[in-house]
Amino acid sequence: MIRLENVTKVYKGDVTALREVSAEIQSGEFVFLVGQSGSGKSTFLRLLNREEVPDSGKIWVAGKDLSKLRSWSVPHFRRSMGCVFQDYKLLHKKTVFENVAFALEVIGQSRPVIRKNVPAILDLVGLTQKADRFPNELSGGEQQRVSIARAFANRPKIMLADEPTGNLDPSTSVGIMKLLDLINRRGTTVIMATHDRSIVDSMQRRVIELDRGVVVRDESRGIYD
Amino acid sequence: MYRLWYYFRETFSSIWRNLSLTMAAIFTVAISLALVGASLLVREGAERATAQFQEGVEFIVFMNADAAEDQDLAIRDVLDNSPVIASYTYIGQEDAYEEFRNLFADKPDLVNSVSPAVMPPSYRIVPSDPSAANVSELADQFASQPGVKEVATATEAIRQIDDFSTRVSQALLVAAVVLVGVSALLILNTVFTAIGARRQEIEVMKLVGATNWFIRIPFMLEGTIHGLLGAALAIPALFVVDKQVLAFFQESDAVPLFRGFAVPEGFVWDTSIWLLIIGGTVGMIGSAVAVTRYLDV
């Protein structure tokens, strides 16, 4: 499903974000990326999303060699993955329903398809009652659910989550993790970067630990440390 | 269908959100295109005015009032047989007196002081080659004939009108070109502002896999609409120029030649279509530059 081979990424000013990273992730896996700030977790995710390109090494996602991906086909490639962020990235002038519908609208789905799918997704994340609310009327946990609903609207094969619980209190975080677990059980590969020790320890999933851009640990049923 | 609706909705909501800059862009386009149009009209008018004159270029050979009959016949013989003379009209002493009386009807003293006998008879001549150089050469030839009092040509007037209209239309054109450039920059900035106002939306669009053209098209439509609306505003101005300014010249007695300064309505409409094409193109280019430089997709 996903394979990285000796991937190195250096940012301007000689900041090495990742050094000779290799990893392989199977379809349907749930993977935690752990490590301190600046260890390269976000870069790892951004490379998979083709927001960044590696300076050396190769990356395959869903059978595609990303180095051979033409820039005009990147949008279509991105439709096969959903992204969730710490700061939700919701549009504040749109309602919950419109935020989710937007993801389908911009990839050219027709209105009947949107009207049919959005309520189903809102039901999945438990926000049917709040479809007409605006993001700033919701709690942080609810906003993150909207963001997950949007990422999942297109039924992606892969879900990338960068610190999705970073702004949430522990009990709300549990709810979000249950949701991501549900999505994973439906067949979507989930890769989540996190600092949250208790979540990683309780989920008992695969853990890849990065330290200053190098993979220092890769355990199939790991804990945070 | 859904997609078209989406583009128009996005475009118009963006224009609405950015109304003051949009108005500035549209009015600048309108003013510059009105100048482009005015310059084209003046040039066309001048061409027609001088062309009309050239068709009937007359240089006039005035004979001495007491010219001998054989002198008169000699001139007539040249005019009848010369291949370079297309046609001519003879104005006899009675006719000349009649014209003089009409011209100075409000000055009876002057009219009373002359009689048909002192009026010089004249030949009004249409040469087959109406170029100014040829006319003055022919005029010189006739002036040296016996019995000829003087030869008057219209070449000086033609040169004046050509000069005048060339200068006016060139000045307008230079101003217009500068302003068209300014409008392109203003459209670029307006679209740039629109892009800035929607940064967040664009980021999300890229995230969920919107294609680059899907993101670009509403902005390019926006710029094109600025150009087209500006042109649409310039078109009435064009008709005002046609009706008021050109009409002023036509009615003016100061320079009789300007009476030919008319432009047919069809030409004004043709110019209008050109303004729409120029406006739309300038808008599209301005927004395309903004999109490629600032959109990063």
Side-chain angles (χ1 to χ4, degrees):
Chain A
M1 185 88 206
I2 295 170
R3 198 162 97 221
L4 291 83
E5 249 179 42
N6 304 321
V7 171
T8 297
K9 175 69 189 174
V10 181
Y11 288 113
K12 275 178 204 157
D14 274 351
V15 182
T16 304
L18 291 178
R19 183 174 300 148
E20 298 285 319
V21 168
S22 296
E24 195 166 344
I25 295 167
Q26 301 302 323
S27 179
E29 271 195 277
F30 195 119
V31 180
F32 286 113
L33 283 178
V34 301
Q36 293 179 331
S37 295
S39 59
K41 304 189 296 292
S42 293
T43 301
F44 192 107
L45 294 179
R46 291 163 68 84
L47 285 168
L48 296 184
N49 194 18
R50 194 35 168 75
E51 274 188 79
E52 302 284 354
V53 285
D55 293 295
S56 67
K58 288 212 156 190
I59 303 173
W60 284 268
V61 175
K64 289 196 182 75
D65 180 348
L66 294 197
S67 64
K68 290 188 179 141
L69 201 63
R70 304 254 175 211
S71 58
W72 55 264
S73 61
V74 168
H76 292 275
F77 164 73
R78 290 209 181 123
R79 290 177 192 183
S80 65
M81 53 180 60
C83 294
V84 179
F85 300 89
Q86 184 172 2
D87 58 357
Y88 324 129
K89 296 198 195 292
L90 298 177
L91 301 175
H92 291 275
K93 286 180 181 162
K94 291 185 190 285
T95 64
V96 167
F97 185 96
E98 288 165 347
N99 264 284
V100 179
F102 187 69
L104 295 170
E105 208 174 16
V106 300
I107 61 172
Q109 296 285 9
S110 70
R111 222 170 313 160
V113 169
I114 291 171
R115 277 208 202 101
K116 193 169 128 293
N117 282 344
V118 176
I121 297 158
L122 289 180
D123 185 49
L124 177 78
V125 301
L127 285 176
T128 305
Q129 302 298 316
K130 311 223 163 169
D132 296 326
R133 299 288 187 85
F134 288 89
N136 59 5
E137 298 170 338
L138 304 178
S139 70
E142 285 168 334
Q143 290 189 49
Q144 191 59 289
R145 283 168 186 273
V146 178
S147 155
I148 292 170
R150 183 180 65 196
F152 193 61
N154 199 30
R155 314 279 162 164
K157 295 193 197 101
I158 300 166
M159 177 93 79
L160 305 177
D162 195 355
E163 309 262 6
T165 59
N167 282 345
L168 304 175
D169 61 57
S171 64
T172 313
S173 298
V174 169
I176 294 297
M177 290 317 298
K178 280 186 176 158
L179 186 53
L180 287 175
D181 188 46
L182 177 65
I183 284 169
N184 176 242
R185 284 175 201 284
R186 290 195 168 195
T188 297
T189 309
V190 178
I191 302 169
M192 171 172 162
T194 187
H195 274 124
D196 197 322
R197 173 186 304 265
S198 63
I199 284 175
V200 176
D201 290 351
S202 67
M203 294 275 289
Q204 298 271 308
R205 298 299 187 97
R206 181 173 170 189
V207 173
I208 296 175
E209 185 178 346
L210 291 166
D211 183 19
R212 278 163 288 180
V214 178
V215 176
V216 293
R217 180 163 63 104
D218 188 347
E219 292 173 338
S220 59
R221 287 179 70 83
I223 54 169
Y224 191 84
D225 285 317
Chain B
M1 250 339 271
Y2 294 109
R3 188 159 286 202
L4 268 185
W5 168 242
Y6 168 86
Y7 289 144
F8 278 101
R9 202 188 58 198
E10 289 303 306
T11 302
F12 281 100
S13 79
S14 179
I15 286 175
W16 184 247
R17 228 182 298 185
N18 209 356
L19 200 60
S20 59
L21 252 181
T22 301
M23 298 299 267
I26 288 173
F27 281 114
T28 316
V29 174
I31 290 167
S32 49
L33 287 184
L35 280 179
V36 171
S39 132
L40 291 175
L41 289 190
V42 168
R43 210 161 62 182
E44 178 73 7
E47 250 167 45
R48 277 165 192 276
T50 49
Q52 205 182 47
F53 189 80
Q54 276 168 354
E55 271 168 37
V57 147
E58 287 174 55
F59 65 95
I60 306 170
V61 175
F62 291 97
M63 303 299 291
N64 288 320
D66 57 353
E69 198 167 331
D70 60 330
Q71 290 172 338
D72 194 51
L73 279 173
I75 297 289
R76 201 174 287 239
D77 191 46
V78 172
L79 290 176
D80 283 337
N81 296 311
S82 168
V84 298
I85 304 298
S87 65
Y88 68 93
T89 318
Y90 177 71
I91 311 286
Q93 287 183 311
E94 285 293 339
D95 294 333
Y97 179 68
E98 203 53 36
E99 243 186 32
F100 188 85
R101 264 194 7 193
N102 286 337
L103 206 56
F104 298 104
D106 55 340
K107 293 192 174 83
D109 288 351
L110 190 61
V111 174
N112 288 338
S113 72
V114 298
S115 68
V118 302
M119 298 302 294
S122 61
Y123 293 92
R124 298 194 172 165
I125 297 159
V126 180
S128 43
D129 173 10
S131 72
N134 183 53
V135 169
S136 73
E137 193 186 317
L138 282 175
D140 286 348
Q141 283 173 22
F142 279 100
S144 56
Q145 297 294 315
V148 172
K149 188 182 175 210
E150 65 171 326
V151 178
T153 68
T155 51
E156 192 53 37
I158 292 174
R159 227 172 280 135
Q160 270 174 2
I161 191 169
D162 260 351
D163 234 40
F164 167 79
S165 60
T166 306
R167 267 185 219 164
V168 169
S169 75
Q170 273 176 357
L172 286 178
L173 205 61
V174 167
V177 166
V178 170
L179 274 172
V180 166
V182 170
S183 1
L185 284 178
L186 203 50
I187 288 174
L188 189 154
N189 267 295
T190 310
V191 172
F192 173 50
T193 309
I195 291 171
R198 300 181 56 202
R199 275 251 169 270
Q200 215 188 3
E201 253 171 279
I202 292 166
E203 190 188 347
V204 174
M205 286 163 101
K206 285 202 262 185
L207 209 63
V208 298
T211 59
N212 294 346
W213 280 110
F214 187 87
I215 300 173
R216 284 177 191 150
I217 283 173
F219 294 114
M220 295 191 59
L221 260 183
E222 192 175 337
T224 309
I225 285 170
H226 295 161
L228 288 177
L229 284 181
L233 283 178
I235 289 170
L238 212 54
F239 279 89
V240 170
V241 168
D242 182 44
K243 292 279 177 307
Q244 299 298 315
V245 181
L246 297 187
F248 169 77
F249 282 125
Q250 286 161 35
E251 285 157 17
S252 143
D253 278 335
V255 189
L257 283 175
F258 282 154
R259 294 212 181 111
F261 220 100
V263 174
E265 192 137 293
F267 183 82
V268 184
W269 281 115
D270 285 354
T271 310
S272 304
I273 289 167
W274 276 111
L275 293 193
L276 282 172
I277 292 171
I278 297 172
T281 311
V282 165
M284 206 188 300
I285 290 173
S287 54
V289 171
V291 163
T292 38
R293 280 195 55 184
Y294 302 114
L295 205 49
D296 190 30
V297 297

